[in-house]
Amino acid sequence: MLLNSFYKITAHSVSRKEITPGQIVSEHRLETQLDRLHPVFNGHFPGNPVVPGVCQVQMIIESLNEILNKKVRLKESDNIKFLSMIDPRVVDILTILLVIKEKQEEQYPVNATISAGEQVYLKFKGIFSSQSIG
């Protein structure tokens, strides 16, 4: 939906680690580039463009779809914090960090951040499930 129009993934790295005995997490670091001229910025907001919060959450969903190679839906979110506004005139390269705990009963617990350098724009914690078709 937004991937390859609003933003593009330009790099992806992954690491796995055991955080507690028997619990593995994978960390996916995706470098993305925003399209500063995307039409969403004409309305959000004219003369003062800001990346909408719903677009940031959609970027997390679509990045997770790419990583898992399947469609997922957001089942629940424990916490979404928008810490600072993203002005695409100033920042167009973002890092999406997804920490995915091992799949539990067709559910994917995920912690995510969207940042640029030291500046964190979004912190997210939620659970995704495989999206049923039909």
Side-chain angles (χ1 to χ4, degrees):
M1 187 166 135
L2 297 178
L3 183 60
N4 297 322
S5 65
F6 185 74
Y7 72 104
K8 291 180 177 29
I9 296 172
T10 57
H12 175 204
S13 61
V14 62
S15 62
R16 295 177 61 83
K17 58 181 155 182
E18 189 171 35
I19 54 171
T20 60
Q23 184 170 36
I24 306 292
V25 298
S26 59
E27 287 188 353
H28 295 262
R29 184 175 303 277
L30 297 98
E31 298 298 324
T32 65
Q33 182 164 12
L34 295 174
D35 178 357
R36 294 177 184 207
L37 302 176
H38 193 276
V40 75
F41 297 120
N42 294 337
H44 203 273
F45 296 98
N48 188 25
V50 175
V51 175
V54 69
C55 291
Q56 294 176 55
V57 173
Q58 185 66 28
M59 290 169 71
I60 292 170
I61 294 167
E62 291 178 0
S63 297
L64 193 55
N65 287 341
E66 290 293 309
I67 290 165
L68 298 174
N69 198 27
K70 64 171 68 178
K71 295 281 186 191
V72 296
R73 67 178 178 85
L74 180 57
K75 183 175 178 181
E76 67 182 66
S77 177
D78 295 335
N79 204 341
I80 301 175
K81 290 183 181 178
F82 298 98
L83 302 171
S84 188
M85 293 187 288
I86 304 171
D87 182 341
R89 298 171 301 182
V90 177
V91 176
D92 66 342
I93 305 294
L94 296 170
T95 300
I96 300 173
L97 178 64
L98 300 170
V99 179
I100 307 167
K101 294 180 184 172
E102 281 189 331
K103 181 172 69 170
Q104 302 169 358
E105 300 173 13
E106 297 304 314
Q107 296 183 34
Y108 302 90
V110 174
N111 290 350
T113 59
I114 296 179
S115 62
E118 297 295 317
Q119 178 66 53
V120 177
Y121 296 101
L122 168 82
K123 288 186 178 182
F124 171 94
K125 182 179 179 186
I127 298 175
F128 293 86
S129 62
S130 297
Q131 188 174 10
S132 59
I133 299 174

